[in-house]
Structure formats: structure tokens, C-alpha cells
Amino acid sequence: MKEDVIMGASQTPWQTACDLHTTLSAGGTFPAVPVPPPVAHLPREHDEYAIGVFGPPTGLDVNYARFVGADVMVTSRRPAVLVGDLNFLAGYALGSIATQHRARRKARRMAEPQWRPWPMAHTLVTTHRIWCEIVGNEWKNFNYDAALGMRLTDDNALVMYYPEPVPPVRLAGTWAPWIAVAVAHLKFGPAAEFHQKWLTKFRTPARMSL
């Protein structure tokens, strides 16, 4: 009989992710998990159900970030009026130019696309998508079928890529590997390891606990 997968409270998240990969590779399935009121109102398709809930009240946290640029403004705080001799004024002017140049370079670096975290309240993982609630009751969802690709980073964060103009999504934290394994199998099925080579690290329980 195929074994269903339940997020075990007696194991570390990493060990649970290893067990999840082993079971799903053998054809196991996900049971539905209870959906608490904060996420119960989210729409779902007729064959879609929840397999993991993170954040309050479960106490299981996931970190959320997007790879985006930002608008950065450079302001000048120099005095409107300066009093002094010519040497002083010339030196101040040169220093001010150098300071502004450094500020503009720093602003350009800060404006470039990079991983920018957002505070997140709840995360709902279903058989079709991931729902993320940004603090302030703003919900975003990321469908597995629409993803162009995914990977597990060296620090065990899940990154998913979508067509333009949707920026990449990054989920980190101790339960990110479990979510990564789940998403890979939901997108690619029992042969997920053939498509996502990083899944090989979940073949056997790792000695390192997250």
C-alpha cells in the first residue's frame, strides 16, 4: 500500500524532506492538511487541496524574497550658505563632488535587481500553487505549472523562475527544503529527480539538521 506523507513533528525539517522525497519517488501521495482560518478563504480549484501551512498558528516560518530592482533617490544635505576663505571653499567643493559621486555609485548598486525580502505572515502550499501573504494582507500566488524552472540554492532556499515580467521568487528558512521537494514532485511527478538533480541530496536522511 502506498504511504501517505505527513509533516512529522518528531523529525527535523530536513529529515522530513528526505522522507518526503523517498515516499513520493515510490509513488506515495499527499494527504490534505487542516487549513486554519487565516488561509481558509483562499480560492482553490476542484481538485486542489492544501498540503502544508506555515506561519501562525503553526509556528513554522518561511522567508520570502523577490529578485527586483528599486527606485533610489540621492539627496544633498550640504549647507545652503558657506563662509570661509577661497582655499576652504575650494576644498569643500572638491570634497562635496567626491561625496556625491560615491553616493551616486552606491545608489546605482542599491537600485540594481537583487533579492529583496518582504515580511510574510502566512504561507499555504497546495497541490497546484504556493500562496504567500505579505504583511498587510496582500496575497500572492505562484502556480507550479507556470514556472519556467526551479532550483535549490547552496543555502537550501527554493528559487522559482517565471516568464517576464514576473520576478523570480525565493523561499528560505528551515522548511524551504521540504517545500522544494514537494513542489518538484508536484510539477514533475515521481520522475522529479531526473528533472531536478539537486533532489539526489534527499535520497537518504542527511546527518546535518537544519
Side-chain angles (χ1 to χ4, degrees), residues 24-25 184-185 188-196 199:
L24 295 179
S25 296
H185 279 274
F188 299 105
E193 191 175 303
F194 175 79
H195 299 276
Q196 301 293 318
L199 283 169

Side-chain angles (χ1 to χ4, degrees), residues 9 11 15 23 25 27 81 83-84 92 98 105 114 122 126 134 143-144 159 185 188 193 202 204 209-210:
Q11 294 183 309
Q15 291 169 332
T23 301
S25 296
V81 178
V83 178
Y92 182 87
R105 284 191 300 176
Q114 55 192 277
H122 298 93
T126 78
I134 313 305
N143 190 287
Y144 310 141
V159 177
H185 279 274
F188 299 105
E193 191 175 303
F202 296 99
T204 56
S209 298
L210 293 185

Side-chain angles (χ1 to χ4, degrees), residues 23-193:
T23 301
L24 295 179
S25 296
T29 58
F30 289 99
V33 300
V35 181
V39 297
H41 67 284
L42 297 174
R44 279 171 278 172
E45 299 179 12
H46 71 280
D47 60 342
E48 180 181 8
Y49 59 90
I51 61 172
V53 181
F54 304 87
T58 64
L60 309 176
D61 295 325
V62 176
N63 303 318
Y64 168 85
R66 306 296 296 276
F67 194 79
V68 293
D71 295 326
V72 179
M73 179 182 296
V74 179
T75 61
S76 174
R77 297 183 179 180
R78 64 179 183 271
V81 178
L82 288 175
V83 178
D85 59 29
L86 291 178
N87 290 334
F88 168 77
L89 295 178
Y92 182 87
L94 291 174
S96 179
I97 292 173
T99 299
Q100 292 180 34
H101 181 66
R102 289 194 297 269
R104 285 193 293 268
R105 284 191 300 176
K106 182 179 179 180
R108 285 194 294 269
R109 291 195 301 269
M110 294 175 63
E112 292 176 351
Q114 55 192 277
W115 288 114
R116 301 183 187 277
W118 270 267
M120 189 161 60
H122 298 93
T123 307
L124 175 66
V125 182
T126 78
T127 50
H128 290 197
R129 76 201 77 222
I130 296 176
W131 284 94
C132 297
E133 183 191 13
I134 313 305
V135 171
N137 198 34
E138 179 185 359
W139 286 96
K140 297 182 180 295
N141 73 90
F142 307 100
N143 190 287
Y144 310 141
D145 290 340
L148 295 177
M150 59 179 294
R151 68 185 179 94
L152 191 71
T153 66
D154 292 339
D155 58 348
N156 295 318
L158 168 63
V159 177
M160 294 186 290
Y161 301 93
Y162 288 87
E164 294 288 351
V166 180
V169 183
R170 186 179 190 270
L171 299 178
T174 55
W175 281 95
W178 186 93
I179 296 175
V181 170
V183 172
H185 279 274
L186 288 165
K187 183 173 177 62
F188 299 105
E193 191 175 303

Side-chain angles (χ1 to χ4, degrees), residues 2-5 17-29 185:
K2 292 181 180 178
E3 179 185 357
D4 286 338
V5 178
C18 291
D19 290 346
L20 177 66
H21 177 53
T22 299
T23 301
L24 295 179
S25 296
T29 58
H185 279 274

